[in-house]
Amino acid sequence: MISELDELYKQVILDHNKNPRNFGVLNNANSHAKGHNPLCGDQLDLYLIIEDGIIKDVKFNGSGCAISKASASIMTSLIKGKTIDEAKKLFDEFHNLVTSDPEAEIDTSELGKLEVFCGVREFPARIKCASLPWHTLAQAINENSQTELVSTEN
Ligand code: ZN
């Protein structure tokens, strides 16, 4: 199971790094946030069009390592078309996942596409890279809706 996940992790990360989804700029975005991970040098701009509490469109731009880029690509695919509440739920699930004990059993059947981030737990230095897009999303959503997303990582 572990090696299966490991393989999935590598494949998905490589694929998204090579062909990032939703990469670019949204000129008509009504929500925008910038993220920076100084430990690795990852830079990220996230653009969202939020209408009636729904993420109608999302794009990201920037430069960073394979993990941060793949994470942004996967995240934007997951949140597109979702409500703000659903995006917040995904943020919580992602956060719980990457901060959990790498030895702990995880019910991957509940995770869907977030499953791939299980692999990140084994590389603590990479957690900030994988988290960057999510924290940038939290920032963009907070600015748009004035509601709080709480993060305990820093
Ligand atoms: Zn990075």
Side-chain angles (χ1 to χ4, degrees):
M1 190 63 208
I2 293 289
S3 63
E4 216 174 278
L5 260 180
D6 216 43
E7 207 36 56
L8 169 83
Y9 172 70
K10 271 185 232 148
Q11 277 175 17
V12 175
I13 298 285
L14 288 175
D15 171 47
H16 279 268
N17 182 50
K18 222 165 116 188
N19 304 300
R21 320 308 194 255
N22 309 304
F23 189 75
V25 177
L26 273 180
N27 289 323
N28 52 343
N30 59 9
S31 188
H32 167 243
K34 267 181 182 302
H36 179 219
N37 171 18
L39 289 177
C40 178
D42 309 314
Q43 305 262 14
L44 183 82
D45 275 276
L46 193 68
Y47 303 89
L48 296 135
I49 296 176
I50 301 174
E51 273 169 30
D52 303 326
I54 296 167
I55 300 168
K56 296 272 185 188
D57 206 357
V58 54
K59 279 196 194 299
F60 76 98
N61 207 349
S63 59
C65 65
I67 308 273
S68 70
K69 211 160 140 191
S71 180
S73 173
I74 295 165
M75 181 194 77
T76 51
S77 310
L78 286 173
I79 62 167
K80 202 169 180 174
K82 296 277 196 308
T83 64
I84 298 292
D85 285 345
E86 286 167 336
K88 284 180 183 173
K89 208 172 151 252
L90 281 169
F91 176 95
D92 288 339
E93 284 169 10
F94 170 83
H95 188 259
N96 290 339
L97 176 64
V98 295
T99 55
S100 63
D101 181 349
E103 304 293 316
E105 279 289 326
I106 284 187
D107 182 2
T108 50
S109 62
E110 295 282 304
L111 288 169
K113 284 186 177 160
L114 286 177
E115 180 182 9
V116 65
F117 292 111
C118 283
V120 175
R121 296 182 307 167
E122 299 181 27
F123 308 96
R126 291 304 198 181
I127 291 175
K128 284 192 205 305
C129 301
S131 304
L132 179 68
W134 292 88
H135 288 297
T136 312
L137 171 69
Q139 209 183 307
I141 288 177
N142 285 342
E143 271 170 26
N144 187 275
S145 65
Q146 304 297 320
T147 48
E148 278 291 299
L149 260 181
V150 182
S151 159
T152 49
E153 284 157 51
N154 48 65

